[in-house]
Amino acid sequence: MVKRQLTRFAVVRIAANATRYALCVLLTFLGLDPKVAMTLLFILGVLANFVANRIWTFGHRGRPAGALARYAVLYLGGYLTNLAGLAWFVDVEGKDPRLVQAVLIVFIAGATFLVQKYWVFRADPGATAAEKPRPDSVPAAVHEQRT
């Protein structure tokens, strides 16, 4: 199960981050500050990733509001880590923002997988059996069509 979740998480993250990175490079090329570009793209990416990871990666069937609140806390931490990393390595150390952003994406992705698996998309306390994540990370409607 972990291997399947990790693979699906990687597919979602690679697609989202490749898109976000390309757009970040484009926006900074067009003159937008790297931290502003990252901020705008980060917000849009968070919402798309929540839906994809909740349904496809982790098969979470619990209360979406609880998972979204935990997801928001996780991504606020990820955002602050990303912003601090850009501020330090670009503004203080003078490093290339494209390289710094690429490294930060990889680091933050690994950390967020673990936090999503064990905290964000866990079964909510008091969840019914129908609300608990499916062992194979397939939404119930898809699973029922298979059988």
Side-chain angles (χ1 to χ4, degrees), residues 18-30:
T19 301
R20 194 174 86 201
Y21 180 72
L23 289 172
C24 191
V25 169
L26 175 64
L27 291 173
T28 56
F29 174 78
L30 295 173

Side-chain angles (χ1 to χ4, degrees), residues 10-23:
V11 168
V12 170
R13 288 299 291 225
I14 289 168
N17 286 327
T19 301
R20 194 174 86 201
Y21 180 72
L23 289 172

Side-chain angles (χ1 to χ4, degrees), residues 78-124:
Y79 168 78
L80 292 174
T81 301
N82 202 326
L83 185 62
L86 277 174
W88 176 260
F89 289 108
V90 174
D91 297 344
V92 175
E93 297 292 325
K95 304 295 182 191
D96 184 338
R98 295 167 295 189
L99 176 62
V100 171
Q101 187 62 61
V103 171
L104 287 169
I105 284 171
V106 172
F107 171 76
I108 292 169
T112 57
F113 172 78
L114 295 172
V115 175
Q116 285 181 50
K117 176 166 180 54
Y118 294 107
W119 184 59
V120 172
F121 296 117
R122 75 188 193 304
D124 292 320

